[in-house]
């Protein structure tokens, strides 16, 4: 366990160094969020209500989404790992006396955690200070806030498990661009980041229930505003744990098989 | 010019060398505009209209922007990736060759995979033309063409500015995404939904309003007036490229290599 913990610490500290990049990202996310808010304001029009998903719920959803992008957005890739797979640097990794799945998992997890921790607070702060109705509202209740923290943390855990499967698939295709783009786009849509899930037609909403993606973003974001109630949130947490267990187990198994079978081309 | 086409031919050959991989790439590139388009469609299915504009009216604007963005991305890839050229010192080599910097940087990248979003936008445009009700006249046809040309030039100008900034810093370039991907994503809607500040910015500073919002109103028959005036507005907007080129020249003059 010890090597993984120290790897986690090193990576976290390393990630926390990139403050200028974080600042650039911050400004981008803020303006991006602002544009989205205006567009939805125009769609909602005067009455500000659409099938039970109110404009203020939506705005809160958007600000949280921008603030915690690093925790919930699949489309962010570690070039170091990608290069390792396609150029054969992987053979060094295989020589080390640690479990490859776990090492990579820790690397990805801590990188996202660092990036998220660096970026979330300014966006949240500005979001809270914006004038009504464009502001991030306070959590629905202390309990909702607690559930939000728990589901958000599990969301990150699940997201990394999904990302790991994509990295593993690159062993087979040897083509990072394709795999990443396809999974990234599908994941983005079904996790409710293209448009929020409550705004989708019912049949699509039902589809999202059977996929892991909505538990990586939609669940925590709506738990915060109380749009998903306590009981449903607890069900959601159970689903998150279910998906994490399955995907991590499957991922670790495939990784083991692939690394045993993989042929490193010499040279 | 001849030199540029030679560059393009070489890049094209290298990018289509692996057939299966190339097909997969085209497919994956198609998926992104498709999904974001699906998102827009679903929003209209939910809400009906945005500020009185119908779905097919927004589709015209969507097609124009995605098309010009795809073309600009395809040709200006070299400027988009220019910070790498600075970092690796490749730009020093460009400087010692007896040719212009612009043509060499343009020729350093040509991105054929943007063919997918381009074709996709053609389909959307056809959909919008068939199902929307535009009263076609000669002026309006010229206008549509100019909108696409103007958009391509403006997007290329933004890439050029982004490249120019990297003469001074290669940090925080992520912010430029607001002007490229941000505009592609958000400026497809009628500009009057945004606060005045943003509208003015998108009309006079980065003149996107001149290629979509203003001519579109005439194209869709929302306003009357001098058709030709609106038809050539996008080309006026394309003058945006002039300060971009000047800025680039200034940057090149000020550039000092890191050595190595």
């Amino acid at each position: 366990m010890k090597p993984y913990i120290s790897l986690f610490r090193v990576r976290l500290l390393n990630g926390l160094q990139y403050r200028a990049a974080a600042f650039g990202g911050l400004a981008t996310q803020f303006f991006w969020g602002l544009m989205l808010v205006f567009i939805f304001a125009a769609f909602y029009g005067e009455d500000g209500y659409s099938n039970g998903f109110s404009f203020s719920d939506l705005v809160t959803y958007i600000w949280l989404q921008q603030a915690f992008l690093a925790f919930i957005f699949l489309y962010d890739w570690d070039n170091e790992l990608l290069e390792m797979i396609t150029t054969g640097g992987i053979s060094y990794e295989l020589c080390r006396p640690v479990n490859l799945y776990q090492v990579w998992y820790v690397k990805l997890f801590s990188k996202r955690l660092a990036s998220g921790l660096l970026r979330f607070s300014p966006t949240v702060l500005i979001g809270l200070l914006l004038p009504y109705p464009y502001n991030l509202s306070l959590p629905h209740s202390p309990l909702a806030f607690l559930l939000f923290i728990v589901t958000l943390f599990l969301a990150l855990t699940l997201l990394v498990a999904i990302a790991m499967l994509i990295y593993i698939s690159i062993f087979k295709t040897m083509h990072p661009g394709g795999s990443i783009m396809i999974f990234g786009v599908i994941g983005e849509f079904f996790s409710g980041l293209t448009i929020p899930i409550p705004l989708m037609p019912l049949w699509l909403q039902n589809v999202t229930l059977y996929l892991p993606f909505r538990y990586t973003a939609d669940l925590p974001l709506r738990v915060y505003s109380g749009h998903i109630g306590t009981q449903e949130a607890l069900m959601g947490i159970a689903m998150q744990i279910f998906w994490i267990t399955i995907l991590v187990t499957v991922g670790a198994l495939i990784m083991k098989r692939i690394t045993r079978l993989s042929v490193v081309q010499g040279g | 010019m001849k030199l540029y086409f030679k560059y393009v031919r070489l890049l094209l050959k290298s990018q289509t060398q692996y057939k299966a991989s190339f097909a997969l790439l085209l497919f994956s590139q198609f998926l992104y505009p498709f999904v974001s388009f699906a998102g827009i469609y679903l929003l209209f299915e939910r809400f009906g209209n945005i500020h009185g504009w119908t779905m097919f009216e927004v589709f015209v604007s969507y097609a124009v922007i995605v098309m010009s963005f795809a073309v600009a991305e395809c040709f200006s890839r070299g400027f988009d990736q220019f910070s790498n050229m600075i970092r690796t010192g490749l730009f020093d080599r460009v400087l010692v060759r007896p040719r212009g910097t612009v043509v060499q940087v343009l020729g350093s990248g040509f991105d054929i995979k943007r063919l997918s979003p381009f074709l996709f936008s053609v389909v959307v445009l056809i959909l919008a033309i068939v199902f929307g009700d535009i009263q076609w006249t000669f002026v309006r046809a010229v206008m549509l063409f100019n909108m696409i040309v103007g958009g391509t030039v403006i997007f290329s100008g933004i890439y050029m500015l982004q490249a120019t900034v990297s003469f001074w810093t290669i940090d925080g370039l992520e912010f430029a995404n607001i002007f490229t991907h941000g505009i592609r994503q958000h400026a497809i809607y009628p500009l009057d939904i945004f606060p005045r500040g943003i509208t003015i910015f998108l009309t006079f500073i980065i003149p996107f309003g001149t290629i979509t919002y203003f001519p579109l109103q005439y194209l869709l028959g929302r306003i009357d007036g001098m058709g030709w005036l609106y038809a050539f507005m996008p080309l006026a907007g394309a003058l945006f490229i002039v300060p971009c080129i000047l800025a680039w020249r200034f940057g090149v003059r000020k550039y000092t290599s890191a050595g190595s």
Side-chain angles (χ1 to χ4, degrees):
Chain A
M1 207 53 202
K2 216 172 145 213
Y4 303 112
I5 293 174
S6 42
L7 179 66
F8 173 73
R9 262 198 45 212
V10 170
R11 282 276 156 168
L12 191 66
L13 289 174
N14 185 297
L16 289 172
Q17 294 308 315
Y18 293 99
R19 298 207 183 94
F23 186 75
L26 205 69
T28 316
Q29 278 154 29
F30 176 71
F31 281 106
W32 198 276
L34 208 60
M35 298 290 258
L36 279 179
V37 167
F38 289 130
I39 290 169
F40 277 107
F43 267 121
Y44 270 82
E46 296 290 290
D47 52 347
Y49 211 73
S50 177
N51 277 18
F53 197 54
S54 71
F55 183 62
S56 103
D57 281 348
L58 174 99
V59 172
T60 299
Y61 183 99
I62 289 176
W63 286 126
L64 290 177
Q65 173 188 315
Q66 294 303 320
F68 294 99
L69 214 56
F71 290 180
I72 59 177
F73 193 46
L74 192 54
Y75 200 89
D76 171 37
W77 305 96
D78 191 309
N79 286 325
E80 195 189 318
L81 293 195
L82 291 179
E83 237 163 68
M84 225 187 265
I85 299 175
T86 48
T87 61
I90 182 93
S91 41
Y92 296 108
E93 291 282 284
L94 290 173
C95 299
R96 299 196 174 111
V98 284
N99 179 314
L100 193 59
Y101 185 89
Q102 289 166 18
V103 168
W104 282 17
Y105 189 98
V106 169
K107 270 188 185 170
L108 294 176
F109 187 90
S110 39
K111 190 178 165 198
R112 277 179 180 272
L113 190 66
S115 158
L117 289 178
L118 257 184
R119 292 179 179 200
F120 86 93
S121 50
T123 312
V124 166
L125 197 69
I126 297 173
L128 285 170
L129 293 175
L130 283 174
Y132 181 83
Y134 304 118
N135 64 327
L136 167 67
S137 31
L138 291 170
H140 178 65
S141 63
L143 180 62
F145 184 66
L146 187 72
L147 287 170
F148 166 70
I149 302 285
V150 173
T151 49
L152 186 66
F153 180 74
L154 288 172
L156 174 60
T157 315
L158 175 57
L159 191 71
V160 176
I162 296 176
M164 279 300 291
L165 282 179
I166 302 175
Y167 284 104
I168 293 170
S169 82
I170 298 172
F171 276 99
K172 283 284 176 210
T173 61
M174 276 299 155
H175 191 278
S179 293
I180 288 174
M181 191 79 187
I182 293 169
F183 278 100
V185 168
I186 292 174
E188 183 183 335
F189 185 81
F190 286 109
S191 57
L193 295 176
T194 307
I195 64 169
I197 290 179
L199 295 180
M200 290 179 184
L202 213 55
W203 65 271
L204 257 181
Q205 292 192 29
N206 286 333
V207 172
T208 63
L209 288 179
Y210 297 99
L211 295 171
F213 301 111
R214 75 166 280 252
Y215 300 101
T216 65
D218 172 64
L219 180 73
L221 300 189
R222 283 198 290 142
V223 162
Y224 177 96
S225 64
H227 191 254
I228 288 181
T230 310
Q231 208 164 20
E232 211 187 327
L234 290 174
M235 273 298 292
I237 290 175
M239 283 305 285
Q240 282 181 317
I241 293 170
F242 166 78
W243 278 113
I244 292 169
T245 321
I246 296 240
L247 295 182
V248 168
T249 316
V250 170
L253 274 178
I254 302 180
M255 184 83 137
K256 214 165 162 188
R257 251 182 71 91
I258 277 190
T259 48
R260 214 176 39 219
L261 296 177
S262 78
V263 179
V264 175
Q265 291 163 348
Chain B
M1 214 52 191
K2 224 173 100 191
L3 178 68
Y4 177 66
F5 285 115
K6 194 159 183 182
Y7 275 133
V8 168
R9 215 172 46 240
L10 285 175
L11 289 164
L12 207 62
K13 267 192 190 153
S14 77
Q15 283 177 43
T16 49
Q17 206 51 250
Y18 297 92
K19 299 270 175 334
S21 169
F22 179 63
L24 184 68
L25 197 66
L26 280 188
F27 172 72
S28 63
Q29 284 291 318
F30 159 80
L31 211 58
Y32 182 76
F34 176 74
V35 167
S36 72
F37 179 77
I40 297 166
Y41 172 79
L42 291 175
L43 285 179
F44 274 101
E45 191 182 271
R46 179 38 94 69
F47 294 103
N49 69 73
I50 182 163
H51 230 244
W53 288 52
T54 66
M55 182 165 75
F56 289 113
E57 291 176 330
V58 170
F59 281 2
V60 178
S61 155
Y62 174 89
V64 167
I65 287 199
V66 170
M67 196 179 291
S68 40
F69 188 63
V71 178
E73 251 192 328
C74 176
F75 286 97
S76 305
R77 185 74 179 153
F79 280 106
D80 188 19
Q81 293 185 325
F82 184 70
S83 60
N84 285 332
M85 220 174 191
I86 291 273
R87 195 163 35 212
T88 55
L90 269 180
F91 187 62
D92 296 11
R93 278 203 234 165
V94 167
L95 281 176
V96 295
R97 291 187 193 129
R99 289 281 183 277
T101 50
V102 173
V103 69
Q104 288 190 64
V105 176
L106 269 183
S108 73
F110 180 84
D111 202 4
I112 188 62
K113 63 177 185 285
R114 305 299 168 191
L115 194 63
S116 307
F118 179 79
L119 291 180
F120 184 75
S121 67
V122 172
V123 173
V124 175
L125 190 62
I126 292 173
L127 273 180
I129 288 173
V130 172
F131 291 102
D133 47 358
I134 300 174
Q135 309 294 324
W136 284 102
T137 58
F138 180 62
V139 185
R140 288 194 166 122
V142 173
M143 182 181 296
L144 187 63
F145 179 76
N146 284 350
M147 284 159 78
I148 294 162
V149 173
T152 308
V153 173
I154 296 178
F155 273 123
S156 308
I158 297 173
Y159 277 125
M160 213 164 175
L161 279 185
Q162 179 191 330
T164 306
V165 170
S166 58
F167 282 124
W168 284 277
T169 170
I170 48 176
D171 258 339
L173 284 181
E174 199 183 334
F175 188 65
N177 284 348
I178 275 292
F179 301 118
T180 50
H181 296 269
I183 283 174
R184 182 194 58 189
Q185 204 81 350
H186 301 138
I188 62 167
Y189 298 106
L191 287 185
D192 60 352
I193 65 169
F194 298 113
R196 241 188 129 56
I198 294 184
T199 315
I200 289 174
F201 181 81
L202 285 180
T203 309
F204 295 108
I205 312 289
I206 296 186
F208 259 96
T210 62
I211 66 146
T212 53
Y213 180 57
F214 297 108
L216 256 185
Q217 293 190 59
Y218 183 84
L219 187 77
L220 301 169
R222 292 180 162 268
I223 43 171
D224 293 321
M226 298 272 292
W228 285 106
L229 186 74
Y230 285 103
F232 282 96
M233 202 184 234
L235 297 189
L239 290 178
F240 173 69
I241 193 81
V242 174
C244 297
I245 292 177
L246 290 179
W248 167 260
R249 291 236 167 109
F250 179 73
V252 171
R253 244 198 339 268
K254 287 277 163 199
Y255 171 71
T256 40
S257 166
S260 73

